[in-house]
Amino acid sequence: MRTRSLLALAGAVTALTVAAAVPASADGSAVLTTGSVGGTAAAVGDTLTAPLAGGTSATLYSSATGTSGVTCKSSQFTATVTGNPTAPGTATESVTGHSFDSSSCTSNVTGVLGVSSITVDNLPYTATVASDGTLTVSPAGGSTIQTTVKLRTLLGTITCVYQAPSLTGKADNSDSSITFTNQQFTKTSGSSLCFASGYFTAKYAPVTDAGAQVYVN
């Protein structure tokens, strides 16, 4: 009996130790909440928006480690909540808008004088947000994530089209942000002045729902 009691006590201590090692979570709340972690659930149909985080830029560079390409200081995305289950789980969204203010964009590519426009095509996209903060953006079936970049050159405006099968980002509750890092696009059409690959990096914050910050649980 004493041996069994000691084993039971050891098992209980082990269970408590493991539980203490796991970060506290907002189990029982929705995956997406507003106001705070474990706060009010974001309702299906709510619109989420986010600009670039203050003092940051969105970049589309020709390599993952280089600094040659296009830089924009103003960008915003808009998404509609389509599913928000109890945490832990995966929320879903429809990305209905992703814009770049061309007046804030510059390019340091040789032979390029400026940026006429950047357009995100084939919207809406589907986004999933998991409780661990992983964000995945996917196109509709049979489609692709596509961005069209128009650049001004001495010979006139050129059009560069870039595509990606999906994008992966990370949500961070410390500032209600979403960060994309070196997400690779491949050029599918355009002149030799269009770099062959584009690596997209941007941080959007804060993500808000009717003015209230959004958190992932």
Side-chain angles (χ1 to χ4, degrees), residues 144-161:
T144 185
I145 291 177
Q146 179 173 296
T147 299
T148 300
V149 182
K150 293 188 176 183
L151 304 173
R152 297 192 304 275
T153 74
L154 289 172
L155 301 176
T157 300
I158 62 172
T159 299
C160 311
V161 179

Side-chain angles (χ1 to χ4, degrees), residues 76-90:
Q76 177 173 298
F77 79 79
T78 303
T80 301
V81 178
T82 56
N84 191 18
T86 300
T90 301

